[in-house]
Amino acid sequence: AQTVTQSQPEMSVQEAETVTLSCTYDTSENNYYLFWYKQPPSRQMILVIRQEAYKQQNATENRFSVNFQKAAKSFSLKISDSQLGDTAMYFCAFMATYSGAGSYQLTFGKGTKLSVIP
Amino acid sequence: DAGVIQSPRHEVTEMGQEVTLRCKPISGHNSLFWYRQTMMRGLELLIYFNNNVPIDDSGMPEDRFSAKMPNASFSTLKIQPSEPRDSAVYFCASSLAIERVYGYTFGSGTRLTVV
């Protein structure tokens, strides 16, 4: 079974600064995808960024980028130029793509609560 | 598209009562997932459907929980009888099966409180 660990329950960052959220995962699979979801106070789960395990290049979406270290099974999220609207819970998630039970399911970490301070 | 629609948004019920949560996936999506979110356990997958057929219900906590998908545009999650420990936010998510690797689209969730 896959596990996802987010070791930082809470973090804070000054507006306009950069913050990095950590995520590690454990799997024996070789083909998988990794995701970061954002959950603002509205409760909506919003996909922020995804990474394909077979790609060495780190994914980037505007102010959001990841540092994917496959050998270390690490997948951190960097938020640049933090904005007040970035205040939310952030969840790291894993999806394996083997055939069989459990495949294509999203397994989530416990989340990191990020507060952006004006 | 209106996205994944869940109802009700909030539900308060008394212990022992039957509770039914509803979900309308995005039109055309053929994979549907039910998740439960609690402070202690985080987001847990309860069950998922492909083409209206339950594929994996190993996450359903016990026999008090049941889920159905009678057609491609509607699914229900029922708890009977409800207990205070069932209090949580329940999310429905959908995806086109061949696009699952791009992530799921989640509804806004139903916050269930059992008193």
Side-chain angles (χ1 to χ4, degrees):
Chain A
Q2 290 80 24
T3 58
V4 179
T5 303
Q6 295 179 248
S7 58
Q8 306 150 315
E10 293 193 39
M11 293 189 73
S12 62
V13 62
Q14 291 289 138
E15 194 175 6
E17 295 296 308
T18 296
V19 63
T20 299
L21 309 183
S22 301
C23 173
T24 58
Y25 57 95
D26 187 25
T27 184
S28 58
E29 300 299 325
N30 197 44
N31 297 321
Y32 53 88
Y33 295 79
L34 295 160
F35 304 82
W36 279 97
Y37 276 85
K38 169 185 176 181
Q39 186 179 42
S42 66
R43 210 166 67 200
Q44 183 74 45
M45 293 286 286
I46 303 165
L47 178 63
V48 175
I49 197 166
R50 66 186 280 274
Q51 175 77 40
E52 299 158 346
Y54 60 86
K55 286 189 176 179
Q56 291 186 332
Q57 186 175 5
N58 290 323
T60 300
E61 289 287 343
N62 300 313
R63 298 182 296 108
F64 298 88
S65 61
V66 300
N67 183 4
F68 173 49
Q69 301 290 328
K70 189 172 184 178
K73 295 181 182 176
S74 171
F75 182 61
S76 60
L77 174 69
K78 186 171 82 171
I79 306 174
S80 304
D81 185 26
S82 297
Q83 301 176 0
L84 296 178
D86 296 334
T87 293
M89 283 288 289
Y90 286 82
F91 293 94
C92 179
F94 174 97
M95 178 190 289
T97 57
Y98 55 86
S99 60
S103 62
Y104 296 98
Q105 295 178 15
L106 276 174
T107 299
F108 288 89
K110 292 287 183 67
T112 296
K113 183 177 181 180
L114 177 67
S115 298
V116 179
I117 302 167
Chain B
D1 199 316
V4 177
I5 300 173
Q6 291 188 247
S7 63
R9 183 159 174 81
H10 305 277
E11 176 79 36
V12 180
T13 191
E14 292 186 349
M15 182 174 62
Q17 296 297 306
E18 178 180 295
V19 176
T20 299
L21 311 181
R22 296 172 175 79
C23 175
K24 176 179 170 57
I26 290 175
S27 177
H29 282 188
N30 56 354
S31 291
L32 183 138
F33 309 85
W34 282 101
Y35 279 83
R36 179 172 67 176
Q37 183 180 30
T38 61
M39 289 293 292
M40 290 297 295
R41 301 174 68 91
L43 281 151
E44 304 172 281
L45 178 65
L46 299 177
I47 186 171
Y48 83 93
F49 296 83
N50 269 356
N51 296 317
N52 312 339
V53 176
I55 301 301
D56 184 354
D57 65 355
S58 59
M60 296 287 263
E62 48 197 274
D63 291 345
R64 297 185 298 106
F65 285 69
S66 63
K68 293 182 179 180
M69 192 164 186
N71 57 62
S73 59
F74 184 66
S75 177
T76 59
L77 178 67
K78 184 178 294 186
I79 308 172
Q80 166 65 18
S82 58
E83 297 182 3
R85 60 193 169 116
D86 301 331
S87 296
V89 179
Y90 291 82
F91 285 99
C92 175
S94 72
S95 174
L96 194 58
I98 59 173
E99 295 181 348
R100 284 172 294 181
V101 297
Y102 294 99
Y104 313 154
T105 302
F106 283 78
S108 298
T110 295
R111 179 177 295 279
L112 173 66
T113 304
V114 184
V115 298

